[in-house]
Amino acid sequence: MAYSRKGKLADILLYAFVYGLVFGLAGLFTTLIIHRSAM
């Protein structure tokens, strides 16, 4: 998205970092919920 707006490399890396953080946390919570419900 930042790339299509002619964003600088730093903007693109920031977007990538934020998306990675959000999906990483979502995956972590999903894993914890599945693990707790399996026990």
Side-chain angles (χ1 to χ4, degrees):
M1 189 182 298
Y3 185 73
S4 64
R5 292 185 191 161
K6 303 284 189 284
K8 298 285 187 286
L9 183 63
D11 297 329
I12 297 165
L13 289 176
L14 183 65
Y15 266 87
F17 176 74
V18 170
Y19 274 101
L21 197 65
V22 167
F23 284 114
L25 283 172
L28 178 68
F29 280 114
T30 304
T31 305
L32 285 171
I33 290 167
I34 291 171
H35 186 71
R36 286 190 183 272
S37 66
M39 293 179 74

